[in-house]
Amino acid sequence: MEAAGAEVSPAASGGSGPRPAVPERLQRREAERQREAERRRQEKAAQAVQEEQSGFFAAAFSRQRAAIEALLGPGPGDGDEEAAAAAARSPAGSLEAAAPRLQGLQKLLTDSVRFLAPYEVRQAQEALGRLQGALAAKRQQLQPKKPFAFRARKKEAAPAPAGLLPAQPAAAPAPAPAPPGQLPAEGEGSGPPLCGFSRAEAQRLELGPSELLQRDVLLAELIDCRVLLRGNPNTLRVRDCRGCTVLSGPVSTSVLVDGCSGCLLALACQQLRTHRTRDTRLYVQVTSRAMVEDCSGVRFAPYTWSYPGIEVDYESSGLDRGRNNWNLVDDFDWLARDEPSPNWSMIPEQERITQWD
């Protein structure tokens, strides 16, 4: 009887079998459940904060954009009434007021891009581009003598002196022939006339500070050319170029690279957009995040080109030399956040160009 009782008692009393492991498993499951619940709570809170920040950005951006549009001369009932009245009283004064506001709008986008969706960034950049074009057009309207003098000089330079580059044909009829190697490039929309080069091959092309100051520059359909832009353009577009080297001084606003292949570009700007471009190296200083779309084999490195007078051009451009997001690139064709885009990369330090002459 005692032996039988000794055998039964462990089972009857719960014993020391595997049962204690059951509460341990439950504890682990409960801990995992709590961790998952906390993770979801944090994600929900972060999403709420991001939505709040995005909403604040949209409201602030819209408000500042309306004020700038009013200063630049919007249609009836548009924009800020006080700014519109100021624009009507003093067009030159409103232009001076619009320029710093536009820089502030660019800074707002630059500071907010980390929590905005790609489509929000794209829409904001497109709006900035339109405002920059409108500002350039207003500058052109208020300074009519400058383009007239530029055209007059082109007319005087019709016969090309020996040793200068031959004139290239303009894409559209022009009232006067261009100076050797230099073109009034094709314009887009109804903005001010552009300067730049078009349809040249295997040539060295240059523009200096007086020709570039706050001008919109277009380089189009160039092949195996070396282009030196020593000065401060307002905007720069590099379109459908192959095998070219383009070295540009600081650009006040935006640079668009579109449809290029096998090129080497040195660019300093507020905003850089690269479309339909292949196998191209970009040495950049950009104060916002660079953007690529429909690109492959695009490689980035920090801007290292320099020339006498570049400090003056930086001051004129308003760019912050201490801010460079050359390695922060948004690829609109690559939405995976946890994997790097295969369409762009950074140039290894040992392969970067440091001497450009």
Side-chain angles (χ1 to χ4, degrees):
M1 290 290 294
E2 292 179 2
E7 291 176 1
V8 173
S9 61
S13 61
S16 57
R19 285 191 179 183
V22 174
E24 185 177 347
R25 286 200 307 271
L26 291 176
Q27 289 178 5
R28 286 200 303 268
R29 286 181 182 176
E30 178 62 17
E32 290 174 1
R33 186 191 68 78
Q34 291 180 358
R35 284 196 297 269
E36 179 65 17
E38 177 63 17
R39 184 185 67 80
R40 290 180 179 177
R41 186 191 68 77
Q42 291 179 354
E43 285 183 354
K44 187 175 181 180
Q47 183 177 359
V49 170
Q50 183 169 344
E51 289 174 354
E52 182 179 351
Q53 290 174 325
S54 177
F56 171 80
F57 167 81
F61 189 91
S62 177
R63 185 169 58 252
Q64 293 188 38
R65 180 179 63 184
I68 295 169
E69 288 173 343
L71 287 168
L72 296 177
D78 293 340
D80 186 299
E81 292 183 2
E82 183 178 347
R89 290 193 302 269
S90 174
S94 67
L95 194 65
E96 292 305 316
R101 287 202 185 198
L102 189 54
Q103 289 185 350
L105 195 62
Q106 174 68 62
K107 186 177 186 302
L108 174 64
L109 175 59
T110 300
D111 293 342
S112 306
V113 73
R114 66 185 182 278
F115 58 76
L116 296 176
Y119 77 91
E120 292 176 305
V121 176
R122 188 190 320 207
Q123 288 177 341
Q125 289 205 336
E126 289 174 351
L128 276 169
R130 288 192 293 270
L131 290 174
Q132 289 160 358
L135 179 61
K138 285 292 181 182
R139 281 186 172 134
Q140 192 77 12
Q141 290 174 9
L142 294 176
Q143 297 177 348
K145 293 182 180 180
K146 186 174 181 179
F148 176 80
F150 188 75
R151 289 196 182 104
R153 188 174 58 143
K154 289 192 291 185
K155 188 172 183 179
E156 293 167 3
L164 293 181
L165 298 173
Q168 300 297 318
Q182 184 175 331
L183 281 182
E186 306 106 341
E188 293 183 295
S190 57
L194 304 177
C195 69
F197 302 100
S198 177
R199 297 192 180 98
E201 184 171 355
Q203 297 187 27
R204 180 184 175 96
L205 309 171
E206 299 187 42
L207 291 173
S210 62
E211 298 159 309
L212 291 169
L213 183 59
Q214 292 302 312
R215 299 292 302 277
D216 292 339
V217 180
L218 173 63
L219 307 176
E221 301 177 40
L222 304 178
I223 301 174
D224 297 329
C225 289
R226 183 176 179 86
V227 184
L228 304 179
L229 304 177
R230 295 187 181 93
N232 166 217
N234 178 52
T235 65
L236 171 62
R237 291 196 285 271
V238 184
R239 192 178 67 200
D240 299 325
C241 294
R242 301 203 311 270
C244 293
T245 296
V246 176
L247 309 181
S248 174
V251 179
S252 293
T253 56
S254 64
V255 174
L256 171 63
V257 179
D258 186 18
C260 297
S261 62
C263 291
L264 170 62
L265 310 174
L267 309 164
C269 56
Q270 283 190 15
Q271 180 186 126
L272 173 64
R273 293 170 292 164
T274 305
H275 298 167
R276 301 185 305 116
T277 292
R278 308 282 181 267
D279 303 322
T280 290
R281 292 172 291 164
L282 296 101
Y283 287 72
V284 300
Q285 180 190 345
V286 58
T287 56
S288 62
R289 296 173 70 99
M291 310 191 105
V292 299
E293 185 174 24
D294 192 17
C295 293
S296 64
V298 177
R299 307 173 73 201
F300 289 86
Y303 183 83
T304 54
W305 188 49
S306 185
Y307 56 87
I310 193 172
E311 297 293 341
V312 175
D313 294 331
Y314 262 107
E315 291 180 9
S316 171
S317 72
L319 293 182
D320 180 1
R321 295 201 73 173
R323 185 168 194 167
N324 190 1
N325 296 319
W326 67 272
N327 57 344
L328 301 180
V329 181
D330 291 327
D331 184 354
F332 287 140
D333 298 312
W334 189 256
L335 301 180
R337 292 178 177 251
D338 55 343
E339 296 180 19
S341 167
N343 300 318
W344 71 272
S345 62
M346 291 181 282
I347 301 175
E349 190 169 351
Q350 65 273 17
E351 297 179 16
R352 296 174 189 169
I353 299 172
T354 56
Q355 298 295 327
W356 294 88
D357 296 330

